Amino acid sequence: MTITSSAVRGRTDLCTAIENELSGLIGKRASAATAYGPDFARLWALAGQNVLGGKFVRPLLLMETYDALCQRHQQYDAADSRQRETAISIAAAIELLHYAFLLHDDVIDGDLVRRGHPNLIGSLLAEASATARTDGVNGAEGVNSADGVRGTRAGSSLHWAQTGGILMGDMLLAATHQSFARADLPHELRLRLLDLLEHTINETVAGEQLDVGLGDGVIAPDLQTILVMCGYKTATYTFELPLRAAATLAGADFAVENSLATAGRHLGLAFQLQDDLLSTFGDPRRHGKDPFSDLREGKETAIIAHARTTHAWPDIEPFFGMPELSVGDGEHVRRHLSDCGAEAFVQGLIEEQMHAFNSQLTTTIPASVRNVLLDLAGQLEGRQS
Amino acid sequence: MTITSSAVRGRTDLCTAIENELSGLIGKRASAATAYGPDFARLWALAGQNVLGGKFVRPLLLMETYDALCQRHQQYDAADSRQRETAISIAAAIELLHYAFLLHDDVIDGDLVRRGHPNLIGSLLAEASATARTDGVNGAEGVNSADGVRGTRAGSSLHWAQTGGILMGDMLLAATHQSFARADLPHELRLRLLDLLEHTINETVAGEQLDVGLGDGVIAPDLQTILVMCGYKTATYTFELPLRAAATLAGADFAVENSLATAGRHLGLAFQLQDDLLSTFGDPRRHGKDPFSDLREGKETAIIAHARTTHAWPDIEPFFGMPELSVGDGEHVRRHLSDCGAEAFVQGLIEEQMHAFNSQLTTTIPASVRNVLLDLAGQLEGRQS
């Protein structure tokens, strides 16, 4: 009981520290942005609201791992405190990176909503459309037709909003690098973090490109490609990056860092596969999403990749990627996906990943850190949203 | 004569040094990219071709200014040589930034061509379309309709290609920051360059947002806004950034740096205004562009902003932003733009900028650097493309 409440208090304190750091990083830029007029300032204001409303999954993982790795220090002195502030600045920068990726992902996918609320693009669109109706300036209608998006008032507003998404993503990517480049660390350590950042961005971009290539039919949707894509697109920056950064900042051995990274990748892949299972087979009252959106969008998941290899595929294919899929058709497809073994197959993949994750824990990872990871893994079990 | 040929040789040597640095920066990343499959590697290969085929305007300005500022050193020792290598690395990074901006600008504008050749997006589109016709994989057609771009095979290929543009722009923006963050300099100097980079990106993004807002009819097209937009979007990163970076790297006084930056901004604005004049009134046999593309696109330039304030506007407006503008109509509009005084007005603005530029030269700027700027300004006169 005492342990639990102190753990909860620890997490609350961490959240506050991360939030303060992010408020500082964004607030200073939001203030400077006002010099460039209301539209530019609006980008920073919206980004601030969205970033500060997040759950800080990645910064928390970094800081909890960092604190666990630093427990070897019996005495906590001024140098430790300064180092921990640096760790918090890197943790906050990773949250900015996450949001930069989300924004460009939303532009690429044409999404206007995230977690039931308008995303930055959706907010900009609503504001531009409202202005156009009341006191819009003249000149845009029918002006631009090169890209097939503009050419109407509604198209212009969407173009304006998506441009905001691209540009704000660029500025957040820049802000992430600024935090890494300015980290109060010996230059050699700073270079290691910069290497890690570069590796992470490359791998996440490669994952995003694979994901889009699968959706656009440019890349063949085999299981191996889909698993690689999940690892690159999510596991790398959500799990490997915070864990490796924590190890680097805490001065852990490279063997510990590598073991943490491997464990993190397995866990990340397990989470992603479970996301896919929940989207299709989970209880929509719990996860709050359209239960057939993956099927309607024709999302190439491990479930679908397995189903393609079974006799059930001819019964599923006509409905896959059908935007107007009815609830009855959706339930029909879901039954086939379950009966053909695709659901059980992906459950098996998750178990494999969790086995590989657990086997990493028995190696070089210190016991204190093991608990951080087991706590995270515990969220996987019984997860319904 | 001797001076000219040594100056030409100097520039050729500089071009080689910049090209080598860029080849290194891109080559190392292109090699690493092959581990992520052919599509990811293709992004780096195409980016490499495009970047290395550039004219290096910005890196040359940086290096020529840097060398001119360093002439005070009578003896050229190993430390100087190492410092100069750092300057070249920053010059090359600025070229990567330029290309990152171009790529995201092309995504935003829906452009597939630059200087008569397919840009990265155009190349990816052509390759994806060719693959789709010959051995395309199944699954994409009609799958995605959320963004109104996909939904057809052609739409999917364009979506794939534009995604490549966004992602490659992100990686080049990251690579720019990596070079700045790793610069072999005292940390304090490195921080000054990082400040400069952040300032530049903010201002360029603000300029891009204004430009898009003007095109989409979200922002009112008054002259003041258009001039501010030109300064932010082009003058900042093309002139101010290389000049300030050169001053910082050469250890010049802050007064010199500020004077160079002010001169650069005036010159940059003059170039941008002249671009607009050439597009509309220049000889298409010399500049090689569609002479009516600005009018067809409804581009909000200083020429148009002035014309709006004259009695000629009712005769121009019906044709402004008309995609199917005929040559006869185009010539009619051009005549009106000239007769109403818009052409002369913008020529006057250019003269004002050049006057302000010249008045900076008589201040704190050393004579050796003055020649670099005068050489650049000389390209403005008699320019036809």
Side-chain angles (χ1 to χ4, degrees):
Chain A
M1 185 62 192
T2 319
I3 294 169
T4 310
S5 65
S6 101
V8 168
R9 197 174 58 244
R11 182 163 290 182
T12 309
D13 289 349
L14 267 181
C15 273
T16 306
I18 293 161
E19 202 169 357
N20 287 342
E21 177 72 17
L22 282 168
S23 289
L25 288 173
I26 295 172
K28 144 184 118 168
R29 290 174 168 89
S31 300
T34 57
Y36 296 100
D39 293 303
F40 188 74
R42 187 73 189 130
L43 289 180
W44 277 103
L46 284 170
Q49 284 169 25
N50 287 316
V51 171
L52 293 171
K55 289 190 290 180
F56 308 151
V57 172
R58 296 152 194 85
L60 281 172
L61 176 58
L62 191 160
M63 289 309 301
E64 287 179 356
T65 307
Y66 173 84
D67 284 342
L69 285 166
C70 289
Q71 275 183 11
R72 67 187 184 285
H73 300 300
Q74 291 302 308
Q75 301 208 317
Y76 194 72
D77 62 16
D80 289 336
S81 164
R82 200 174 133 194
Q83 263 190 11
R84 193 164 183 276
E85 276 172 34
T86 302
I88 286 173
S89 78
I90 296 296
I94 289 177
E95 191 70 2
L96 296 182
L97 180 69
H98 165 55
Y99 194 64
F101 286 146
L102 283 188
L103 260 176
H104 282 187
D105 191 51
D106 282 344
V107 171
I108 289 167
D109 293 346
D111 287 336
L112 303 173
V113 172
R114 190 165 284 272
R115 299 187 183 282
H117 296 282
N119 59 15
L120 179 132
I121 304 160
S123 299
L124 290 175
L125 176 62
E127 291 163 14
S129 305
T131 312
R133 274 199 301 276
T134 56
D135 57 33
V137 297
N138 296 319
E141 222 147 339
V143 161
N144 299 287
S145 60
D147 54 20
V149 173
R150 288 179 283 181
T152 62
R153 168 65 69 197
S156 291
S157 295
L158 180 61
H159 182 260
W160 162 255
Q162 290 189 321
T163 297
I166 293 178
L167 296 177
M168 192 64 231
D170 288 349
M171 288 194 289
L172 289 169
L173 190 58
T176 304
H177 282 88
Q178 288 281 346
S179 286
F180 273 71
R182 290 166 189 274
D184 178 18
L185 289 169
H187 194 50
E188 205 178 319
L189 264 190
R190 205 185 296 120
L191 291 180
R192 276 185 61 192
L193 287 178
L194 285 164
D195 282 340
L196 176 59
L197 180 61
E198 182 160 30
H199 162 80
T200 302
I201 290 172
N202 283 343
E203 216 152 276
T204 310
V205 162
E208 177 78 11
Q209 194 197 25
L210 280 176
D211 194 17
V212 169
L214 288 164
D216 287 340
V218 176
I219 292 170
D222 57 87
L223 179 67
Q224 192 50 40
T225 305
I226 289 166
L227 294 179
V228 165
M229 179 273 287
C230 291
Y232 287 170
K233 190 180 166 179
T234 309
T236 304
Y237 89 89
T238 301
F239 292 86
E240 185 176 348
L241 170 63
L243 290 168
R244 280 197 189 273
T248 303
L249 287 159
D253 288 346
F254 197 58
V256 172
E257 179 183 327
N258 269 340
S259 202
L260 281 171
T262 306
R265 293 188 70 84
H266 289 302
L267 195 55
L269 198 45
F271 265 94
Q272 187 56 53
L273 290 168
Q274 205 191 37
D275 266 351
D276 293 338
L277 276 186
L278 284 171
S279 290
T280 301
F281 300 104
D283 182 347
R285 287 169 302 181
R286 306 297 287 268
H287 61 62
K289 287 182 281 193
D290 168 1
F292 303 123
S293 66
D294 281 6
L295 295 174
R296 289 200 178 102
E297 286 170 22
K299 188 173 171 192
E300 297 288 352
T301 61
I303 307 165
I304 296 297
H306 184 269
R308 275 185 205 281
T309 66
T310 68
H311 292 302
W313 186 243
D315 291 319
I316 297 168
E317 190 176 20
F319 302 99
F320 181 62
M322 183 195 273
E324 64 279 12
L325 189 80
S326 70
V327 172
D329 290 342
E331 281 166 356
H332 161 87
V333 172
R334 189 157 58 185
R335 208 158 41 239
H336 273 294
L337 287 172
S338 188
D339 291 350
C340 79
E343 182 179 14
F345 174 75
V346 176
Q347 277 163 343
L349 289 179
I350 295 174
E351 279 159 32
E352 275 175 32
Q353 294 301 323
M354 291 311 292
H355 181 77
F357 164 76
N358 281 309
S359 73
Q360 282 296 319
L361 293 191
T362 58
T363 61
T364 43
I365 297 175
S368 57
V369 186
R370 217 173 291 158
N371 290 332
V372 174
L373 291 174
L374 284 171
D375 186 40
L376 194 59
Q379 296 172 26
L380 197 80
E381 288 163 34
R383 184 171 161 238
Q384 309 211 300
S385 70
Chain B
M1 184 63 194
T2 319
I3 294 166
T4 311
S5 64
S6 101
V8 169
R9 199 175 56 243
R11 181 164 288 182
T12 309
D13 290 349
L14 268 181
C15 273
T16 306
I18 293 161
E19 202 168 358
N20 288 342
E21 177 71 18
L22 283 167
S23 289
L25 288 173
I26 295 173
K28 145 184 118 169
R29 290 174 167 90
S31 300
T34 58
Y36 296 100
D39 293 304
F40 188 72
R42 188 73 190 130
L43 289 180
W44 277 102
L46 284 170
Q49 283 170 25
N50 287 317
V51 171
L52 293 170
K55 289 189 290 180
F56 307 151
V57 172
R58 294 152 196 85
L60 281 172
L61 176 57
L62 190 159
M63 288 310 299
E64 288 179 355
T65 307
Y66 173 85
D67 284 342
L69 284 167
C70 288
Q71 275 183 13
R72 66 185 184 285
H73 300 301
Q74 292 302 310
Q75 302 208 317
Y76 194 74
D77 61 17
D80 289 336
S81 165
R82 199 173 135 196
Q83 263 190 12
R84 194 164 182 275
E85 278 172 33
T86 302
I88 286 174
S89 77
I90 296 296
I94 289 177
E95 191 69 2
L96 296 182
L97 180 68
H98 166 54
Y99 194 63
F101 285 146
L102 282 188
L103 260 176
H104 282 185
D105 191 51
D106 283 343
V107 171
I108 289 167
D109 292 346
D111 286 337
L112 302 172
V113 172
R114 189 165 285 272
R115 298 187 183 283
H117 297 282
N119 59 15
L120 179 133
I121 304 159
S123 299
L124 290 174
L125 175 62
E127 291 162 13
S129 305
T131 311
R133 273 198 301 275
T134 56
D135 58 32
V137 297
N138 296 318
E141 221 146 341
V143 161
N144 298 287
S145 59
D147 54 20
V149 174
R150 288 180 283 182
T152 63
R153 168 65 68 197
S156 291
S157 295
L158 181 61
H159 182 259
W160 161 256
Q162 291 190 320
T163 297
I166 293 177
L167 296 177
M168 192 65 230
D170 288 350
M171 289 194 289
L172 289 169
L173 190 58
T176 304
H177 282 88
Q178 288 282 345
S179 286
F180 273 70
R182 290 166 188 274
D184 178 19
L185 288 169
H187 193 51
E188 204 177 320
L189 264 190
R190 206 185 296 120
L191 292 179
R192 275 186 60 192
L193 287 178
L194 285 164
D195 283 339
L196 176 59
L197 179 61
E198 182 160 32
H199 162 79
T200 302
I201 290 172
N202 283 343
E203 215 153 277
T204 310
V205 162
E208 177 78 10
Q209 194 197 26
L210 280 176
D211 194 17
V212 169
L214 287 165
D216 287 340
V218 176
I219 292 170
D222 57 87
L223 179 66
Q224 193 49 39
T225 304
I226 289 166
L227 294 179
V228 165
M229 180 273 285
C230 290
Y232 287 170
K233 190 180 168 181
T234 309
T236 304
Y237 89 90
T238 301
F239 294 85
E240 186 176 347
L241 169 65
L243 290 168
R244 279 197 189 272
T248 304
L249 287 159
D253 287 347
F254 197 58
V256 172
E257 179 183 329
N258 269 339
S259 203
L260 282 171
T262 306
R265 292 189 70 85
H266 289 302
L267 195 55
L269 197 46
F271 266 94
Q272 186 56 52
L273 290 168
Q274 204 190 37
D275 267 352
D276 294 339
L277 276 185
L278 284 171
S279 290
T280 301
F281 300 103
D283 182 349
R285 288 169 302 179
R286 307 297 287 269
H287 62 62
K289 287 182 281 192
D290 169 1
F292 303 123
S293 65
D294 280 7
L295 294 175
R296 288 200 179 101
E297 286 170 22
K299 188 173 171 192
E300 297 288 352
T301 61
I303 307 167
I304 296 297
H306 185 268
R308 276 186 205 280
T309 66
T310 69
H311 293 302
W313 186 242
D315 291 319
I316 296 168
E317 190 176 18
F319 302 99
F320 180 63
M322 183 195 274
E324 63 280 10
L325 189 79
S326 71
V327 172
D329 290 342
E331 282 165 357
H332 161 88
V333 172
R334 188 157 58 185
R335 211 161 34 241
H336 273 294
L337 287 172
S338 189
D339 291 349
C340 79
E343 182 180 14
F345 174 75
V346 176
Q347 278 163 342
L349 290 178
I350 295 174
E351 279 159 32
E352 276 175 30
Q353 294 300 323
M354 291 311 291
H355 181 77
F357 164 76
N358 281 309
S359 73
Q360 283 295 320
L361 294 191
T362 59
T363 61
T364 44
I365 298 175
S368 56
V369 186
R370 219 172 289 158
N371 289 333
V372 173
L373 292 173
L374 284 171
D375 186 40
L376 193 59
Q379 297 173 26
L380 197 81
E381 286 163 35
R383 184 171 161 239
Q384 308 209 302
S385 69

